[in-house]
Amino acid sequence: MQENSNLPVEVTSDNLDVDQEDGTAVFTGNVKIGQGDMRLSAPRVLVVYKEDQSGIKTLQATGGVTLVSGQDAAEASRADYNIETGMIEMQGNVLLLQGANALSSETMVVDTRAGTARMSGRVKTVLNQGGDEE
């Protein structure tokens, strides 16, 4: 899941509540977020803006999150995306699908800039060998 975290972030949802005092926005209802080739969907996303309002600092998605990038897809209970560092932390029943392979764990930290991920907490891996079974 490699992505340029400097690309624009597009958010669509059914509802939006903005709090100008603390610099946050809460998107609810069928939230879809796109950045480059990466797509995130969740029922609720809290957006925290930079102090100077020049862009987004973090996204906090909850309620069941799906993250798709190219051929990779991941699901979890929640995801926190720090746009400034390009780091995404997914927590709670994480499932990562990479082609025919599946990995699960309690947490996964993705470095979108380096294109790497680290899974922890009872990691389980199913690697398909691609051969015909008899």
Side-chain angles (χ1 to χ4, degrees):
M1 292 190 177
Q2 190 165 9
E3 192 60 59
N4 180 348
S5 60
N6 293 321
L7 292 173
V9 176
E10 179 181 308
V11 183
T12 59
S13 68
D14 294 335
N15 305 293
L16 169 62
D17 294 303
V18 177
D19 187 333
Q20 299 257 344
E21 285 193 28
D22 68 1
T24 62
V26 177
F27 294 86
T28 55
N30 196 29
V31 183
K32 307 283 186 205
I33 298 174
Q35 184 180 39
D37 291 330
M38 188 168 55
R39 300 287 176 260
L40 183 145
S41 60
R44 180 182 186 278
V45 176
L46 169 67
V47 175
V48 179
Y49 293 96
K50 295 179 183 179
E51 286 184 29
D52 63 3
Q53 301 294 312
S54 64
I56 297 172
K57 182 177 180 181
T58 62
L59 298 170
Q60 299 169 353
T62 55
V65 180
T66 301
L67 178 66
V68 177
S69 180
Q71 298 296 318
D72 298 340
E75 296 178 354
S77 298
R78 77 174 280 140
D80 297 308
Y81 181 17
N82 184 323
I83 295 189
E84 293 179 325
T85 64
M87 301 297 287
I88 300 172
E89 181 175 352
M90 299 184 79
Q91 301 172 327
N93 298 315
V94 177
L95 174 63
L96 173 63
L97 301 172
Q98 293 182 307
N101 301 321
L103 299 95
S104 63
S105 68
E106 281 305 307
T107 64
M108 177 174 71
V109 177
V110 179
D111 183 338
T112 63
R113 292 182 180 168
T116 61
R118 179 184 192 99
M119 299 181 85
S120 59
R122 283 314 294 160
V123 178
K124 179 180 177 182
T125 305
V126 177
L127 302 171
N128 289 304
Q129 300 302 313
D132 292 335
E133 292 185 29
E134 295 183 35

